[in-house]
Amino acid sequence: MAAVQDGGSELEGEKEPKPELMNDGSTAPAAAPSSRPEDQQTLLAVLQFLKRNKLIESVDALRREAGLADEPEEAPGSEAAGGAGGAAAGSGELGDAGALLSRVSGGSQSAAAPAPAKGGDDQPDVSVVLSAYSQQGDPSLYQVYYSGLKKFIESVLDCHRAELSQLFYPLFVHMYLELVYNNHESEAKSFFEKFNGDQECYYQDDLRVLSGLTKKEHMKGNETLLDFRTSRFVLRISRDSYQLLKRHLQERQNNQIWNIIQEHLYIDIFDGMPRSKSQIDSMSGSLAGEAKREDNKTKVYYGLLKEPEIEVPLDDEDEEAENEEGKPKKKKPKKDSMGSKSKKQDPNAPQQNRIPLPELKDSDKLDKIMYMKEATKRIRLGPESLPSICFYTFLNAYQGLTAVDFTDDSSLLAGGFADSTVRVWSVTPKKLRKVKSAADLGMIDKESDDVLERIMDEKTASECKILYGHSGPVYGVSFSPDRNYLLSSSEDGTIRLWSLQTFTCLVAYKGHNYPVWDTQFSPYGYYFVSGGHDRVARLWATDHYQPLRMFAGHLADITCTRFHPNSNYVATGSADRTIRLWDVLNGHCVRVLTGHKGPIHTLAFSPNGKYLASGSTDGRVLLWDIGHGLMIGELKGHTDTIYALRFSRDGEILASGSMDNTVRLWDAIRAFDDVETDDFTAATGHVHLPDNSQELLLGTYLSKSTPVIHLHFTRRNLLLSAGAYNSQ
Amino acid sequence: MAEERRQKQCSVVLPSESMKAMAESMGVGQLQEDSCVALSEEVSYRIKEIAQDALKFMHHGKRRKLTTSDIDYPLKLKNVEPLYGFQSQDFIPFRFASGGGRELHFYEEKEVDLSDIISTPLPRVPLDVSLKATKEQQKAESTEPLKAVKPGQEEDGSIQGKGQSGTSAEVKGKEKLRMKPRSTHELSVEQQLYYKEITEACVGSCEAKRAEALQSIATDPGLYQMLPRFSTFISEGVRVNVVQNNLALLIYLMRMMKALMDNPTLYLEKYLHELLPAVVTCIVSKQLCLRPDVDNHWALRDFAARLMAQSCKTFSTTTNNIQSRITKTFTKSWLDDRTQWTTRYGCIAGLSELGPDVIKTLIIPRLTVEGVRIKAVMEGLVVSNIDKIGADHVQSLLLKHCASVIAKIRPAPDVVDQYRTDYGYLGPMLCSHVVKARTQAALQAQTVNRTTLTITQPRPSLSVSQSGGVGSSGGSRTPSIIKVPSSLTLMSTRPATPTQPSPPATKYIVMATSAGAASTQQVITLSSSQSSSPVTSTVTSVSTPLQPLVKLESGGGAGSRPMQKYIVVSLPSSSSSSSSLEHKGGATATSPIAIETTVKSERSESPATHTHSPH
């Protein structure tokens, strides 16, 4: 009982070493000299490895350099345990790793030892983690245990059954892994075959991974497995149900299951009515169970920042159209009514200077003015007035289009392609021009009024420019808000910053060593976020070649990244089927949102910053209230992966685009209005989702054979969508 | 069923025979059975792992098909060398063989003759990626790529849901499905709505709406499906309104035609047979308005003539010979003695807009004859007021167009007597005009040097604004009201020039250089900016509608210079001289039908008969 409750405090620490665990042997020594606490763990591991291989001189040298002169001598028999112990001491809060020590009994030592010795490039940590599976029970009894529990759960009252059924999946996985770990291959196989049919359908993908895993050797280096082990599977169970379970297990003396529950599961107990099956189903599905309630308690400042006051000339003539890139307009004292939305500071907004934001340049102010002017001409959307949709079809892309982005003013379009190119199109009659070469620039009269016009090289005008530089498919593109830069992230592990003045690459940000799935500029420019296969999201500033923040915590690839409209938070969606919200200021994870049943491929914040929409491979759109950290809606309708989500400029309509060749429009206002978040719901996190997708669906628009991979609302609320025509 | 599949999932491993076969192909014989089993299990596991990662890459590549590169990248992730050059044209490149109790799948590698490859012609270069925009919902839901919606594709659920909520989207969808097979010219509901809105706005009374509608016609890329409707609308509209002498509507229709021509995505060639007769009607029709003495139908003729010139320039080819046929039509009716002054004016305007060459070869030689005719009217005794006005307009038109041409073709000293002998009655006036044209050309050259003109519009064209509802704000407008984009420089206001014998008028001279690019979308709708201008008239004297008149003076002539001068004239029509006869009815000698038939009959002639062409 105590162990179950303690689990909560340990979890934070437990996640930290994750990225390190993934390093393979070749990179670990390179990282060792660093003095960060996480690295110490690695260092100790390296030391042990060297010692084991009788490389005494290296051990001494390394120890001298790392300043660990008085390392206590360890008995060779407990190397693995020592590694974990040292790690625990080093990081200070790795209580969980320390707890593992008790599991490493003398009997299991023989099983654990050969594993690290065999593969030189394997981390000792892995074997420590795995050794937790060394088992005491009889393998043949596992099926009996499991079916006994199954019988029990099926016999309890209906209200408890749904809750206790949550136990099936984690128990199944852990028992299977224990069997595999202890080389009971045939038992494992029959166990899997017997019970895998009972599991919820949304765990199919994980089960498939699991089914391939039949040998102990395979467990090393299998990331999915490590996820199961390093993160405790979180269950949310009412107190009554939990008591029932406990009593049952104690009566039956079912230690095997009890041990698993205590060590690998985190049971979040709440008082009150047990939840119904649908309530549980809506929240579960993630790789590591539901989010804990504590995870979502931090206050999130989801309000928008106050807009800088820019005086807008009153006359609404279209003079700006010509003046766009000329000198700043002279301001008239009168203010535009639209521009000054609310002078008062939003109580939920973060402080204006909570994170430093770049100063507004003159050109930015001009753009803001343009924006406000456009905003006055914006069409009010609603169920009665749906937006027109303009579809940009990429022809002859040969299935190579991987990413699309529009500028905010909808004048440029960028496409990332599988052939490593990034192409930029102008979608207005204005052609793309490069700046003249340095020699030519010298000849320009710098005093002239149209100097900005003169520096452009008319000879280079074209509708499309191709940017070469990546060496792998480009999976993410993002324009800077001022339209001067473009970011692209690629399979080659780099993020590149391109200038849209010279159409050349300015910087290649290296840090992710694995494919970078997505990147996005902050709405205020300067910062950008990226996330990829290495499960770490990074926050960068354009003028630093190293990341400012690393957001670690996801258990699988980060598939999409989005900035909150106030730039203080970053949302990341992952293949572990969770969404996390990170605080840019301190790098903390402030929200964990679970409920998706497939990898999340797109996220969208509502314009007021209060809500988040997410779309995944399961074809569902989920709506989240950021302030409460609650799921508040589910939009069903798509039949394939959703790759694009976008709120209209005023937040009335949510548009979703999918692989199933459709664009669907949803009534966002109604979706948010229908939800009443009372205190009880907010406190317990129990959601009742109204099943009203069909009523919220305002329109479905089919293309012939063009998956929709990007959506964008223009400033006047015209919906632009983009995709590559698929000839088959 | 699912149960079975799942069980399979768990146990699928490569058969150990494959291991043996592979080992043999590598030259390792006699592999132990145990090793084979161990190997096959290991290999199966790794393959599954890679396949799962490959799926991830496929998802991020936003594809539904796994490609060979999707396999390469996971290999790269695991620090394994990818399989380079593994590409196959066949779906599955393996071949099957059995024999000796063994079954084998093998990869067929044929020997390739290099010379074959070298001698085969190169394949076509694959097309580059291109971008295409399609408006979906409102206007072009039925265009590519949303065209082929199969009925089965629409889900039942969504049909129900939307049927209940009664949104128009669903109705649209269904209607579209039914209409599709019938004809390609069927319009979707929203297209019909759009068409209705646009046409109503174009001929309606609200000038701002009209400007918007015209802008839409001139720039919208998705109108081609509606083009036949528009063309019919214009031709029918002209036919009806000419009979009813509804000048305002005729002007609106011509502006619409102009907007259609300005749209770069429309191809009007197919509809010229409908459109051109309508334009010709507006140029040469005997009567275009109810009160020919008061209303300024001359402006419409000028505008239509310019339109005709523009279409000649754009669409004339050696096969359709539009320009020569139009020229012939104009010349024929001009040469006819019985032609009315109005028609005569139209013919001359139409011809002179075709360019200085036409003026030189066709108009100038006839100046003497025309002079005699004008003299007869001007100095004759018993003539109607209408005729007088007509002659007056013809005279000024001739002077205006010929002066600049003559200024170019005649050597410098302009002697009045010389002119009189050469051009008869019109000689002296022509002389003074030529002198003026020469000085003006010089002046313009200076002006260009002085002011810096930056022109962004390829070819600004001013459209005629009709009297209609804006009459009260017409006459006293100061030049500052005209919202010219920064590209145009407003020169000065002047009193009426001598060339304009009509009552005093304010005259705006707007200078603009013309880049002369053929593709233009920019229409400066002078009228709209005027009507929306906050400054309104203070003059109360004029009660009759005023008609701003736009005239084009060829500043440099011959198109060699990039200068063009627009003179915007706003002149009040003189209601004082209204005691004239009312020409009504009867005068339908040049009714639109008649014109159409002449044009058509000409078309039926073989091209060979068109012997003379101005160019």
Side-chain angles (χ1 to χ4, degrees), chain A residues 238-255:
Chain A
S238 72
R239 189 170 294 283
D240 294 348
S241 305
Y242 182 70
Q243 298 291 0
L244 208 62
L245 174 75
K246 204 174 144 195
R247 213 174 307 131
H248 166 77
L249 291 176
Q250 277 167 353
E251 275 169 18
R252 294 288 201 83
Q253 295 286 305
N254 203 339
N255 281 329

Side-chain angles (χ1 to χ4, degrees), chain B residues 438-456:
Chain B
R438 284 195 212 278
T439 53
Q440 208 148 33
L443 189 82
Q444 271 174 17
Q446 282 174 4
T447 320
V448 175
N449 292 339
R450 220 174 40 230
T451 54
T452 52
L453 294 178
T454 48
I455 294 291
T456 50

Side-chain angles (χ1 to χ4, degrees), chain A residues 465-612:
Chain A
K465 293 260 183 257
I466 306 180
L467 307 173
Y468 297 103
H470 281 295
S471 59
V474 178
Y475 289 117
V477 287
S478 173
F479 280 105
S480 73
D482 61 2
R483 297 189 293 284
N484 282 330
Y485 303 105
L486 174 71
L487 277 176
S488 62
S489 68
S490 157
E491 187 271 337
D492 61 14
T494 61
I495 303 146
R496 280 176 187 267
L497 182 75
W498 308 86
S499 163
L500 296 181
Q501 302 288 335
T502 58
F503 292 97
T504 52
C505 182
L506 303 176
V507 198
Y509 299 96
K510 293 174 184 169
H512 295 278
N513 279 322
Y514 294 100
V516 188
W517 297 132
D518 198 8
T519 185
Q520 202 213 1
F521 252 112
S522 148
Y524 293 88
Y526 186 60
Y527 300 108
F528 64 93
V529 63
S530 66
H533 179 75
D534 61 3
R535 306 160 184 217
V536 181
R538 286 169 160 83
L539 180 85
W540 311 74
T542 46
D543 56 358
H544 288 64
Y545 64 90
Q546 281 181 326
L548 305 180
R549 296 278 181 279
M550 310 239 293
F551 305 117
H554 276 297
L555 302 175
D557 299 34
I558 289 173
T559 45
C560 53
T561 54
R562 274 287 156 258
F563 257 100
H564 190 274
N566 68 20
S567 196
N568 278 261
Y569 296 93
V570 165
T572 55
S574 164
D576 68 7
R577 308 189 285 272
T578 62
I579 300 157
R580 281 170 187 262
L581 192 71
W582 309 87
D583 192 337
V584 167
L585 182 68
N586 47 29
H588 289 161
C589 176
V590 290
R591 289 285 179 273
V592 181
L593 308 172
T594 59
H596 271 297
K597 315 285 189 264
I600 292 145
H601 273 277
T602 178
L603 294 168
F605 280 99
S606 69
N608 60 10
K610 258 179 101 168
Y611 304 107
L612 178 68

Side-chain angles (χ1 to χ4, degrees), chain A residues 367-383:
Chain A
D367 199 56
K368 277 256 181 326
I369 292 170
M370 278 300 290
Y371 174 78
M372 286 168 187
K373 292 209 159 158
E374 294 273 302
T376 56
K377 295 176 187 163
R378 183 180 295 161
I379 297 166
R380 273 206 76 78
L381 298 178

Side-chain angles (χ1 to χ4, degrees), chain A residues 58 79 86 122 156 189 194 218 248 330 411 518 578 593 656:
Chain A
S58 318
E79 279 165 353
D122 267 302
V156 297
K189 216 174 252 181
K194 185 151 182 210
H218 298 159
H248 166 77
K330 55 179 192 297
S411 63
D518 198 8
T578 62
L593 308 172
S656 61

Side-chain angles (χ1 to χ4, degrees), chain A residues 387-391 655 663 665 711-714 717-721:
Chain A
S388 293
I389 307 174
C390 179
F391 204 116
V663 175
L665 302 177
L711 290 169
H712 176 80
F713 274 97
T714 68
N717 266 341
L718 172 74
L719 180 57
L720 307 180
S721 51

Side-chain angles (χ1 to χ4, degrees), chain A residues 258-325:
Chain A
W258 186 240
N259 281 341
I260 291 177
I261 290 177
Q262 284 200 310
E263 277 156 33
H264 301 300
L265 268 48
Y266 175 89
I267 299 188
D268 192 0
I269 297 164
F270 60 87
D271 295 309
M273 284 287 291
R275 295 186 296 169
S276 69
K277 175 95 174 103
S278 66
Q279 277 179 314
I280 291 168
D281 276 351
S282 66
M283 294 289 285
S284 55
S286 124
L287 197 60
E290 293 183 43
K292 278 179 286 185
R293 279 173 296 160
E294 294 90 89
D295 288 348
N296 291 335
K297 290 288 186 236
T298 328
K299 173 151 176 62
V300 172
Y301 302 97
Y302 56 80
L304 301 184
L305 294 178
K306 210 162 65 181
E307 286 292 313
E309 285 176 25
I310 297 171
E311 286 147 2
V312 180
L314 188 65
D315 54 328
D316 260 359
E317 243 65 62
D318 283 338
E319 288 171 299
E320 254 75 358
E322 271 82 15
N323 227 343
E324 198 173 359
E325 47 206 341

